[in-house]
Amino acid sequence: MADVPSVALIGMHGHGRVHLDGLLDRDRAGRLVLCGVADVREPAQDVLAGRMFDTDAGRLLDRARADIVVITSPAHTHLALAERAMELGSHVLLEKPPVTSLADHDRLAAVAARTRRHCQVGFQAFGSSVVQELVRRSRSGELGSVQRVSVVGCWSRDADYFTRSHWAGHRAVDGVVVADGALINPFAHGVALALRLAAPRPDVSVRVQAEAYHAYPIECDDTMSARIEPAGGVPITAAVTLCARHEFEPYVRVFGSQGHATIWYTEDRARIEVGGRVDELAGDRVALIDDLVANLSNDSAVLCSPLSDTRSFTSVLEAVVAGPAAQPIPPDQLRITPAGRTIPGIEDAVVTAGERGVPFSELGLPWAVEECR
């Protein structure tokens, strides 16, 4: 490998554009060389400045033979592309969710071990100094005995979000799991962080009881509450929606016998409250591509977000996909406008569910029914 690694990008639209812009910036700074890009759609303009482009990702991998491949294509394509990249000698930065089943997760981990290639997963919050400090303090006993963890998320998405691609809003398409849903896609970062705080190891099995709902006419959930129980760990309560009228930044809260801590993981800030003392934390994060570049010659265990640390998350994904179908919320319980659909009172509901550690069906909400659990 050259001193400046070559990088290929699979997927340059949607979230892939964020990766493209970051890679172009690093290329101009001389920190890496963006050698090629693949996407099913041609670039709308000459953003690639003559770099190799192909509409076939597999063909680009064969042509580029890059040191690193960044994969931001849909989740159901991850396994084949990451496997092919590592077989060709590339290290991989794989967007979340990494794969859509435990069998695929274990297969990809075996390929990484055999080829001795790194596979970093795109849970960006794991590069945060604040996340790392909170995990350290929680495990050190500063909060006392950790009793439970909650994930609370309250965002708004319009109808276009669920038509952004042929797989959007689906659990599966033509029998292939695509795993689009509020908890395991947009709020996946919170779930992964909660598991790091609640589970004794990143590879333990989990038990999931989920209540899935949808306000939009889609197959999967846009609103969900779930109880996640990692083996040997403490329970996690998740309460999330994409149908809020008033958004706020998602957070993970740790409840301990001596105090509690809250982290707003998208903002790299946290508050720890123990015995009447409040400690505010703020920091920054290392980008996962930079972390991967810096550790190409080191053991994968030093990475911020290696594939091996995400197996329990994949277990949650698999359980949600295999769980009960999402239940429609009756139109008379919604606020429907040309801008989209919102659920009146959902902001208070997700906060209360997280604070009390209960599902939506225990909050007396008229649209929440225990039968969907």
Side-chain angles (χ1 to χ4, degrees), residues 79-96:
L79 174 65
L81 290 172
E83 187 173 29
R84 179 63 177 156
M86 289 191 286
E87 294 284 6
L88 290 171
S90 303
H91 300 279
V92 172
L93 171 56
L94 186 61
E95 258 306 329
K96 59 77 188 168

mmCIF file of all heavy atoms in Angstrom, residues 79-96:
data_model
loop_
_atom_site.group_PDB
_atom_site.id
_atom_site.type_symbol
_atom_site.label_atom_id
_atom_site.label_comp_id
_atom_site.label_asym_id
_atom_site.label_seq_id
_atom_site.Cartn_x
_atom_site.Cartn_y
_atom_site.Cartn_z
ATOM 1 N N LEU A 79 -23.301 -7.031 1.943
ATOM 2 C CA LEU A 79 -22.528 -8.267 2.109
ATOM 3 C C LEU A 79 -21.717 -8.585 0.856
ATOM 4 O O LEU A 79 -20.497 -8.780 0.930
ATOM 5 C CB LEU A 79 -23.453 -9.441 2.443
ATOM 6 C CG LEU A 79 -22.765 -10.818 2.492
ATOM 7 C CD1 LEU A 79 -21.758 -10.874 3.622
ATOM 8 C CD2 LEU A 79 -23.805 -11.927 2.621
ATOM 9 N N ALA A 80 -22.373 -8.632 -0.278
ATOM 10 C CA ALA A 80 -21.687 -9.020 -1.508
ATOM 11 C C ALA A 80 -20.576 -8.038 -1.864
ATOM 12 O O ALA A 80 -19.469 -8.435 -2.259
ATOM 13 C CB ALA A 80 -22.688 -9.124 -2.656
ATOM 14 N N LEU A 81 -20.841 -6.743 -1.706
ATOM 15 C CA LEU A 81 -19.839 -5.744 -2.071
ATOM 16 C C LEU A 81 -18.657 -5.753 -1.106
ATOM 17 O O LEU A 81 -17.494 -5.691 -1.527
ATOM 18 C CB LEU A 81 -20.483 -4.359 -2.106
ATOM 19 C CG LEU A 81 -21.469 -4.118 -3.252
ATOM 20 C CD1 LEU A 81 -22.194 -2.789 -3.063
ATOM 21 C CD2 LEU A 81 -20.750 -4.157 -4.597
ATOM 22 N N ALA A 82 -18.938 -5.818 0.200
ATOM 23 C CA ALA A 82 -17.848 -5.830 1.176
ATOM 24 C C ALA A 82 -17.013 -7.092 1.052
ATOM 25 O O ALA A 82 -15.778 -7.056 1.159
ATOM 26 C CB ALA A 82 -18.416 -5.698 2.594
ATOM 27 N N GLU A 83 -17.675 -8.206 0.842
ATOM 28 C CA GLU A 83 -16.970 -9.475 0.667
ATOM 29 C C GLU A 83 -16.050 -9.404 -0.554
ATOM 30 O O GLU A 83 -14.875 -9.785 -0.492
ATOM 31 C CB GLU A 83 -17.982 -10.600 0.520
ATOM 32 C CG GLU A 83 -17.388 -11.990 0.499
ATOM 33 C CD GLU A 83 -18.456 -13.064 0.509
ATOM 34 O OE1 GLU A 83 -19.575 -12.818 0.001
ATOM 35 O OE2 GLU A 83 -18.186 -14.156 1.027
ATOM 36 N N ARG A 84 -16.574 -8.903 -1.667
ATOM 37 C CA ARG A 84 -15.772 -8.790 -2.883
ATOM 38 C C ARG A 84 -14.599 -7.844 -2.684
ATOM 39 O O ARG A 84 -13.462 -8.128 -3.117
ATOM 40 C CB ARG A 84 -16.661 -8.299 -4.031
ATOM 41 C CG ARG A 84 -15.932 -8.101 -5.367
ATOM 42 C CD ARG A 84 -15.391 -9.408 -5.881
ATOM 43 N NE ARG A 84 -14.755 -9.246 -7.191
ATOM 44 C CZ ARG A 84 -13.825 -10.063 -7.667
ATOM 45 N NH1 ARG A 84 -13.421 -11.093 -6.932
ATOM 46 N NH2 ARG A 84 -13.316 -9.864 -8.857
ATOM 47 N N ALA A 85 -14.840 -6.712 -2.019
ATOM 48 C CA ALA A 85 -13.769 -5.749 -1.790
ATOM 49 C C ALA A 85 -12.639 -6.357 -0.973
ATOM 50 O O ALA A 85 -11.450 -6.199 -1.303
ATOM 51 C CB ALA A 85 -14.322 -4.509 -1.087
ATOM 52 N N MET A 86 -12.978 -7.072 0.093
ATOM 53 C CA MET A 86 -11.942 -7.656 0.939
ATOM 54 C C MET A 86 -11.207 -8.780 0.220
ATOM 55 O O MET A 86 -9.994 -8.941 0.387
ATOM 56 C CB MET A 86 -12.550 -8.118 2.264
ATOM 57 C CG MET A 86 -12.943 -6.940 3.160
ATOM 58 S SD MET A 86 -13.390 -7.392 4.859
ATOM 59 C CE MET A 86 -14.996 -8.104 4.595
ATOM 60 N N GLU A 87 -11.915 -9.545 -0.584
ATOM 61 C CA GLU A 87 -11.259 -10.596 -1.363
ATOM 62 C C GLU A 87 -10.243 -9.998 -2.343
ATOM 63 O O GLU A 87 -9.233 -10.625 -2.670
ATOM 64 C CB GLU A 87 -12.290 -11.415 -2.137
ATOM 65 C CG GLU A 87 -13.239 -12.232 -1.273
ATOM 66 C CD GLU A 87 -12.592 -13.489 -0.684
ATOM 67 O OE1 GLU A 87 -11.367 -13.670 -0.861
ATOM 68 O OE2 GLU A 87 -13.318 -14.278 -0.045
ATOM 69 N N LEU A 88 -10.495 -8.769 -2.789
ATOM 70 C CA LEU A 88 -9.569 -8.087 -3.702
ATOM 71 C C LEU A 88 -8.472 -7.332 -2.965
ATOM 72 O O LEU A 88 -7.642 -6.657 -3.588
ATOM 73 C CB LEU A 88 -10.348 -7.113 -4.594
ATOM 74 C CG LEU A 88 -11.261 -7.757 -5.645
ATOM 75 C CD1 LEU A 88 -12.141 -6.706 -6.306
ATOM 76 C CD2 LEU A 88 -10.431 -8.499 -6.693
ATOM 77 N N GLY A 89 -8.477 -7.417 -1.623
ATOM 78 C CA GLY A 89 -7.398 -6.817 -0.848
ATOM 79 C C GLY A 89 -7.705 -5.473 -0.239
ATOM 80 O O GLY A 89 -6.807 -4.831 0.333
ATOM 81 N N SER A 90 -8.946 -5.024 -0.318
ATOM 82 C CA SER A 90 -9.307 -3.710 0.207
ATOM 83 C C SER A 90 -9.811 -3.802 1.643
ATOM 84 O O SER A 90 -10.505 -4.755 2.018
ATOM 85 C CB SER A 90 -10.405 -3.072 -0.649
ATOM 86 O OG SER A 90 -10.022 -2.952 -1.996
ATOM 87 N N HIS A 91 -9.470 -2.794 2.431
ATOM 88 C CA HIS A 91 -10.147 -2.579 3.699
ATOM 89 C C HIS A 91 -11.469 -1.887 3.405
ATOM 90 O O HIS A 91 -11.631 -1.263 2.356
ATOM 91 C CB HIS A 91 -9.287 -1.729 4.636
ATOM 92 C CG HIS A 91 -7.956 -2.343 4.962
ATOM 93 N ND1 HIS A 91 -7.800 -3.313 5.919
ATOM 94 C CD2 HIS A 91 -6.718 -2.117 4.434
ATOM 95 C CE1 HIS A 91 -6.516 -3.671 5.984
ATOM 96 N NE2 HIS A 91 -5.843 -2.960 5.091
ATOM 97 N N VAL A 92 -12.422 -1.952 4.351
ATOM 98 C CA VAL A 92 -13.779 -1.490 4.062
ATOM 99 C C VAL A 92 -14.299 -0.572 5.160
ATOM 100 O O VAL A 92 -14.126 -0.857 6.353
ATOM 101 C CB VAL A 92 -14.727 -2.701 3.905
ATOM 102 C CG1 VAL A 92 -16.183 -2.243 3.809
ATOM 103 C CG2 VAL A 92 -14.356 -3.514 2.666
ATOM 104 N N LEU A 93 -14.922 0.521 4.735
ATOM 105 C CA LEU A 93 -15.772 1.325 5.609
ATOM 106 C C LEU A 93 -17.195 1.101 5.129
ATOM 107 O O LEU A 93 -17.559 1.486 4.006
ATOM 108 C CB LEU A 93 -15.399 2.812 5.550
ATOM 109 C CG LEU A 93 -16.356 3.779 6.270
ATOM 110 C CD1 LEU A 93 -16.542 3.397 7.731
ATOM 111 C CD2 LEU A 93 -15.836 5.217 6.166
ATOM 112 N N LEU A 94 -17.996 0.467 5.956
ATOM 113 C CA LEU A 94 -19.322 -0.012 5.573
ATOM 114 C C LEU A 94 -20.379 0.772 6.329
ATOM 115 O O LEU A 94 -20.390 0.794 7.558
ATOM 116 C CB LEU A 94 -19.427 -1.505 5.913
ATOM 117 C CG LEU A 94 -20.655 -2.283 5.482
ATOM 118 C CD1 LEU A 94 -20.803 -2.267 3.966
ATOM 119 C CD2 LEU A 94 -20.550 -3.723 6.000
ATOM 120 N N GLU A 95 -21.265 1.451 5.584
ATOM 121 C CA GLU A 95 -22.305 2.225 6.252
ATOM 122 C C GLU A 95 -23.230 1.314 7.062
ATOM 123 O O GLU A 95 -23.333 0.125 6.808
ATOM 124 C CB GLU A 95 -23.111 3.036 5.237
ATOM 125 C CG GLU A 95 -22.715 4.513 5.186
ATOM 126 C CD GLU A 95 -22.772 5.203 6.540
ATOM 127 O OE1 GLU A 95 -23.590 4.847 7.409
ATOM 128 O OE2 GLU A 95 -21.948 6.110 6.747
ATOM 129 N N LYS A 96 -23.903 1.931 8.023
ATOM 130 C CA LYS A 96 -24.862 1.186 8.833
ATOM 131 C C LYS A 96 -26.196 1.118 8.117
ATOM 132 O O LYS A 96 -26.503 1.997 7.294
ATOM 133 C CB LYS A 96 -24.997 1.817 10.223
ATOM 134 C CG LYS A 96 -25.468 3.284 10.223
ATOM 135 C CD LYS A 96 -26.948 3.428 9.977
ATOM 136 C CE LYS A 96 -27.381 4.837 9.788
ATOM 137 N NZ LYS A 96 -28.764 4.959 9.260
#
